[in-house]
Amino acid sequence: MLTYPFLFSLLSLCGCPKRSNPPPFIHGHRISGLGPENSLDTLPYAIRDKYLGIEVDIGLTKDLIPVLHHDPWVSKKDCTHTDETPIKKRHLIRDYDFATLQELFRCGQTEQSIGTPIPSLADLLQELSTHPDVILNLDIK
């Protein structure tokens, strides 16, 4: 029976070639980390900083449109109603068609901006069409 110390010794003696370490793979979590998560507003930063890939979270609307959003519900923390009133109850993305979702909610507000509608995956793909080398990782919720 082979034991771990024996296997380690055997591997050490075999003279396996050393591989050079490749540079780190920079992958933007929820696009770039430099603004609202899963927002098209952050995509230019990922492109500028030459991220090899980006990850986005995907949910489906009632009419089966894939949208970029971390949770299966509209975030109370990151989003508001279009009239800027806070969201008080949980609104499941799957309960709204895409057009209604866009009419009712804005996400990623800052002191300078009231936020933007929740983008669709098609919106992201359109933005990435001029950057075909960016690897896209979808986290489907």
Side-chain angles (χ1 to χ4, degrees), residues 33-97:
L34 295 173
E37 296 177 343
N38 294 301
S39 164
L40 296 182
D41 294 342
T42 62
L43 186 59
Y45 298 107
I47 302 299
R48 178 200 70 195
D49 294 342
K50 297 183 179 9
Y51 288 12
L52 296 176
I54 58 172
E55 177 266 351
V56 293
D57 301 295
I58 300 290
L60 283 178
T61 62
K62 188 176 188 176
D63 52 348
L64 303 179
I65 305 293
V67 295
L68 280 57
H69 204 71
H70 182 264
D71 297 312
W73 53 84
V74 179
S75 172
K76 293 179 192 178
K77 181 183 102 189
D78 299 324
C79 304
T80 64
H81 291 283
T82 308
D83 65 4
E84 298 185 47
T85 58
I87 296 172
K88 301 219 186 267
K89 67 176 194 155
R90 187 171 281 187
H91 296 274
L92 291 173
I93 288 174
R94 69 175 183 218
D95 290 343
Y96 295 91
D97 62 51

